[in-house]
């Protein structure tokens, strides 16, 4: 602090005629910024204003013994042309002799850009996000890597982050309307055109293995988080489950199931996630259900259901050792198992 | 199969487009109807495509598929634990949690009338009252393998059920208090006794005193 004051008084002496020095709250950092700004503007051919592109200049002490000010100047630039950044080094003008110049570094970064869309998952062996245990990948791919890995090169960015409105298990397909997602790209060098985004969509949708699909891919601004929140907690989800029961399906079962509207169920935290989640009793609502017979199989049927977000569907079918009540089994008075599950609709807003 | 589906769905859309071009020569009102028809058609196509995807994925349907327990848990057993005839199962989930319960050969099932009462008030506290909270499982009882879980009673006698596994007691099945008959009808599912979370190191040691399903069946001479 003492150094700062001493340096300021020196600057005031040297630049006493300058207008910007008359301001009250003026620090050494501000002085440095003003002195450098014009030179930078000239050599980069750009304006300085609030923008998404930042240049950070960092000056650090060469060694611990040297006593001197260490300054960081953070500037915003709107780039108009590509120009070489001239290197700038300030040598200490403090009150102790310094024998080495300080260390100077430049970092540029850009605020992240966002892409939104809906994804489909056609495979029962693809996880939503990258999932690695003991150096081994679980599943053969992830939605995150397929989407991000194709969008990133189109942006010439450094890295990406994947956000989705909810999630499904690795062995559950995401069909129907698709699930809303966001890809956040760090330090993109170019914003892809509508055409390149179309090409990214096509590349993913026409890939050989057809593990994942995507639609409505577009660049989106700050309203993206509001959009994601919409898809989360309050909304309804629709599923189709392949169910087995221990006794043959009967005529009365169709009605016993479809007559249950807004059915309240109580789910204890499922055993399969109990190791990492709080032991709680969660009340959920099954809005409606419908049984669809499968020809030639009396013990199997397709269960169509629409539930409150956050409902554990698998546990609703098999009962999770009686910890989800009522369950499909208790409603039909027999044992029930879930063979397969598909998500068919993630409702957002009015859809 | 799934790769062909978009092709099937596209054809009606192309037909719709041809229809629309022809309609442009007529009134605007008719154009609007076409738009609505096209949207309807597109929605129907989406539903058709969805149904095809749903139905095409139904594979083999065995008469009796494996249960959720068989798929998600590895079954272990311990026989004559601390006392003869005290046979219990330990179903271990992939996430490390262990579900504890009475094995079918437990001596309590041999008494006439089966199990009539379950009491969790054993040892120093009532296990059914414990309130475990949070991701870190605060307030869970740290149990040893011989820590008592509950006492099951029949018309004839009563038997102590123990943890068999060293770890944190996360939950006991308090439904057994009001419905002890669950043990008689489905001791391996709704009649489970408790859920314990062992530390990895404790489990590795514990595992040595347990036997597998095959070994259990052989030992008890149950037909495989």
């Amino acid at each position: 602090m003492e150094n700062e004051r001493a340096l300021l008084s020196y600057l005031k002496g040297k630049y006493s005629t300058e207008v910007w020095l008359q301001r009250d709250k003026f620090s050494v950092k501000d002085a440095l910024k003003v002195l450098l700004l014009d030179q930078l503007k000239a050599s980069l051919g750009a304006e300085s204003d609030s923008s998404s592109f930042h240049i950070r200049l960092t000056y650090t002490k060469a060694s611990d013994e040297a006593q001197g000010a260490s300054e960081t100047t953070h500037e915003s630039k709107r780039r108009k042309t590509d120009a070489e950044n001239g290197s700038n080094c300030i040598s200490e003008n403090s009150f102790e002799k310094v024998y080495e110049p300080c260390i100077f570094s430049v970092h540029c970064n850009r605020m992240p850009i966002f892409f939104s869309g809906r994804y489909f998952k056609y495979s029962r062996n693809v996880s939503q996000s990258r999932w690695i245990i003991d150096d081994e990948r679980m599943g053969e791919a992830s939605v995150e890597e397929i989407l991000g890995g194709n969008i990133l090169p189109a942006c010439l960015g450094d890295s990406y982050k994947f956000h989705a409105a909810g999630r499904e298990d690795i062995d559950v397909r995401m069909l129907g309307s698709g699930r809303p997602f966001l890809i956040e790209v760090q330090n993109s060098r170019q914003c892809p055109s509508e055409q390149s985004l179309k090409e990214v969509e096509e590349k993913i949708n026409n890939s050989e293995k057809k593990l994942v699909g995507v639609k409505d891919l577009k660049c989106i601004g700050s309203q993206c988080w509001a959009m994601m929140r919409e898809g989360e907690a309050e909304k309804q989800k629709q599923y189709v489950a392949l169910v087995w029961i221990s006794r043959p399906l009967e005529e009365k079962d169709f009605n016993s199931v479809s007559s249950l509207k807004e059915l309240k169920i109580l789910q204890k935290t499922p055993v399969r996630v109990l190791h990492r989640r709080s032991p709680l009793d969660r009340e959920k609502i099954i809005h409606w259900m419908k049984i669809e017979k499968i020809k030639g199989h009396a013990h199997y049927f397709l269960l169509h259901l629409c539930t409150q977000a956050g409902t554990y569907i698998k546990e609703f079918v098999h009962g999770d050792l009686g910890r989800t009540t009522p369950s499909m089994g208790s409603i039909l008075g027999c044992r029930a198992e879930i063979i397969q599950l598909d998500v068919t609709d993630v409702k957002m807003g009015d859809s | 199969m799934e790769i062909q589906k978009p092709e099937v769905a596209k054809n009606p859309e192309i037909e719709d487009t041809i229809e629309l071009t022809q309609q442009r020569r007529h009134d605007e009102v008719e154009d609007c109807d076409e738009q609505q028809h096209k949207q309807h058609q597109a929605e129907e196509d989406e539903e058709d495509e969805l149904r095809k995807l749903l139905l095409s994925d139904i594979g083999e349907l065995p008469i009796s598929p494996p249960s959720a327990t068989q798929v998600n848990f590895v079954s272990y057993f311990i026989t004559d634990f601390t006392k003869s005839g005290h046979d219990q199962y330990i179903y271990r989930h992939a996430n490390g949690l262990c579900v504890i319960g009475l094995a079918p050969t437990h001596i309590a099932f041999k008494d006439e009338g089966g199990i009539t009462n379950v009491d969790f008030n054993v040892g120093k506290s009532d296990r059914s009252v414990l309130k475990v909270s949070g991701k870190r499982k605060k307030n869970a009882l740290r149990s040893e393998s011989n820590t008592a879980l509950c006492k099951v009673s029949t018309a004839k006698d009563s038997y102590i059920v123990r943890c068999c596994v060293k770890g944190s007691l996360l939950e006991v099945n308090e439904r057994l208090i009001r419905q002890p008959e669950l043990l008689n009808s489905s001791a391996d599912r709704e009649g489970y006794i408790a859920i314990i979370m062992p530390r990895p190191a404790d489990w590795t040691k514990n595992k040595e005193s347990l036997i597998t399903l095959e070994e259990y069946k052989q030992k008890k001479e149950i037909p495989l």
Side-chain angles (χ1 to χ4, degrees), chain A residues 271 318-324, chain B residues 69 73 89 91 99 173 175 188-192 195:
Chain A
V271 178
H318 63 62
D320 195 32
L321 305 175
R323 298 164 75 260
T324 287
Chain B
T69 310
F73 294 83
Y89 66 72
Y91 294 155
V99 178
N173 188 0
R175 281 169 294 283
D188 64 335
R189 267 172 84 112
E190 286 80 11
Y192 75 96
I195 302 179

Side-chain angles (χ1 to χ4, degrees), chain A residues 266-269 278-283 323, chain B residues 171 174:
Chain A
L266 198 59
Q267 301 196 287
K268 280 180 130 68
T269 306
S278 295
L280 287 175
D281 289 350
R282 294 178 177 84
E283 195 183 270
R323 298 164 75 260
Chain B
E171 180 181 306
E174 75 273 3

